[in-house]
Amino acid sequence: MLQLIALHKSFGTVDVLKGIDLKVTPGEMVFLIGPSGSGKSTLLRCCNRLEEPTSGAVVVEGVDITGPKVDLNKARRRIGMVFQSFNLYPHKTALGNVALALIKVSGLSRRAAREKAMAALSDVGLADKAENYPAQLSGGQQQRVAIARALALEPKVMLFDEPTSALDPELVGDVLDVMRKVREAGMTMLVVSHEMRFAAEAADRVIFMDGGVIVEEGSPQEIFRAPKEARTQTFLSRVSH
């Protein structure tokens, strides 16, 4: 579903990604873990070309979206992204935020967009908050609106970049529950997160990155209970999970 081939990304003289090879199969939930500055978020942002890879390829459903002739807007429709900050329009309601994406990106009529947006909000448990503005919602609710907005566009792959790191601890669970539901519905997901317990119970595969390379990958059990690499062991000993 998603393949990265020899992916490099440099900012000036700093090599942030140093030849990443990664395959994510349909319906798989892959967690990227590692210290800050290891390249995890840059990797995600290269997957939909929010950052331009310096070299290498990103292939989504067999289409090289780094190719010179690719229709980037069309390619991005296949890839939903949820950020640390919710990026909602403050002057639009929850329903309006989700519907706007459907009107602008999918070209739906206002009525069809509102119907589909309402269904997406129901899926994340926020049908009753449809007419609320972002300022009237908790951080966790705003993040769930952001997830609904991404899901409404029916992407093939969902990228999550530390979706819970800006939330108060008691609000994290609701967002993780929605992510669990999305996974159970068969969505292919690539997640950058520090939620180790969630990774241990929900991920199909865990990848440990450090210094712009994949150091180790395996099942949650392999990575969390018996990591082979010293760098992985050191990192996990410093983070509670």
Side-chain angles (χ1 to χ4, degrees), residues 55-131:
S55 63
V58 178
V59 180
V60 181
E61 273 198 308
V63 176
D64 180 357
I65 70 162
T66 41
K69 293 181 179 172
V70 75
D71 178 342
L72 191 53
N73 287 333
K74 191 175 175 187
R76 279 188 177 143
R77 281 180 217 170
R78 302 172 179 208
I79 309 163
M81 186 149 186
V82 177
F83 300 89
Q84 200 170 331
S85 52
F86 323 122
N87 297 338
L88 300 178
Y89 290 106
H91 61 288
K92 288 198 170 289
T93 61
L95 184 64
N97 267 281
V98 180
L100 182 67
L102 290 161
I103 293 165
K104 295 279 189 204
V105 179
S106 300
L108 295 187
S109 70
R110 197 165 291 272
R111 184 176 172 185
R114 285 177 70 85
E115 278 178 19
K116 198 164 184 184
M118 199 67 209
L121 288 173
S122 294
D123 288 344
V124 298
L126 287 178
D128 60 329
K129 302 289 184 184
E131 297 304 329

Side-chain angles (χ1 to χ4, degrees), residues 160-182:
F160 290 86
D161 190 6
E162 301 200 15
T164 58
S165 63
L167 302 180
D168 293 334
E170 70 269 22
L171 302 175
V172 167
D174 289 344
V175 172
L176 296 182
D177 285 345
V178 168
M179 290 173 67
R180 202 176 276 113
K181 271 179 67 179
V182 172

Side-chain angles (χ1 to χ4, degrees), residues 48-62:
N48 63 0
R49 286 180 56 188
L50 284 174
E51 295 289 356
E52 284 294 334
T54 304
S55 63
V58 178
V59 180
V60 181
E61 273 198 308

Side-chain angles (χ1 to χ4, degrees), residues 135-152:
Q136 299 169 311
L137 301 173
S138 71
Q141 289 168 336
Q142 290 184 60
Q143 189 60 294
R144 282 151 63 196
V145 172
I147 293 172
R149 177 177 59 187
L151 287 175

